[in-house]
Amino acid sequence: MIMSGSSPLSNDSADICGLPIRDEAAGRDPLERIASDYLESLRKGTPIDLEEIVRQYPEFEGELREFLPLVAAMETWKSQQEMQTLRRPLPETFEITRLGDCRIVREIARGGMGVVFEAEQEPIGRKVAVKLLPWRFPRHSKWCQQFLSEARIAAG
């Protein structure tokens, strides 16, 4: 099951352009909400049954059968692009002198996900370790989530 609660629309009304009327409670189009929940499940690795979603929202059957496989294909493509990015070698050196309020002192380690620098947090002069992902990832990617999880563990 993707979404909890009742069907996102209480009736089959449409606006003057023929588009579904937005679910006022959520402020979003019901199909957008369904697709967003579907995408979140894909990203978490949760098995998703298209037939169950169609049974849950029969009023959107045609749209769901057409749209959700495209959403899944795009997410697969995005994940493959992220993997290609990770396979690129790290640069030999980084010409970074500052990150936020930290002055970079030196590189101290390299790993599979990034580079760790010794830094001084200014203006308080506290020594800190700063880990840098040398690639740009979307906020919701599994790599970004893994990075944040490692940061929380290290901070603890």
Side-chain angles (χ1 to χ4, degrees), residues 61-145:
E61 179 177 3
E63 294 93 334
L64 292 172
R65 289 188 186 283
E66 183 177 341
F67 184 58
L68 292 183
L70 293 173
V71 169
M74 288 172 46
E75 184 64 17
T76 298
W77 176 83
K78 186 184 79 152
S79 293
Q80 290 169 347
Q81 295 303 308
E82 287 177 357
M83 285 303 296
Q84 287 178 2
T85 297
L86 281 175
R87 289 187 182 116
R88 282 190 239 146
L90 288 173
E92 288 294 318
T93 61
F94 289 90
E95 302 300 323
I96 299 170
T97 58
R98 299 194 64 78
L99 284 171
D101 65 349
C102 295
R103 181 181 58 81
I104 302 300
V105 176
R106 66 186 175 96
E107 181 180 319
I108 56 176
R110 287 178 177 239
M113 285 189 70
V115 180
V116 179
F117 296 96
E118 176 187 340
E120 183 176 314
Q121 189 175 16
E122 297 176 344
I124 61 176
R126 177 172 58 171
K127 281 191 171 191
V128 295
V130 176
K131 186 171 185 177
L132 174 68
L133 286 176
W135 307 282
R136 184 180 181 111
F137 293 108
R139 172 175 268 225
H140 298 293
S141 83
K142 64 182 176 182
W143 306 110
C144 188
Q145 296 304 317

Side-chain angles (χ1 to χ4, degrees), residues 131 145-156:
K131 186 171 185 177
Q145 296 304 317
Q146 182 178 338
F147 181 79
L148 291 172
S149 176
E150 287 181 14
R152 284 186 195 101
I153 291 168

Side-chain angles (χ1 to χ4, degrees), residues 40-60:
E40 188 62 32
S41 294
L42 285 175
R43 289 177 177 160
K44 289 180 179 177
T46 305
I48 300 162
D49 180 16
L50 179 60
E51 296 307 314
E52 182 179 331
I53 298 169
V54 168
R55 280 191 300 277
Q56 194 174 357
Y57 303 102
E59 66 272 30
F60 300 118

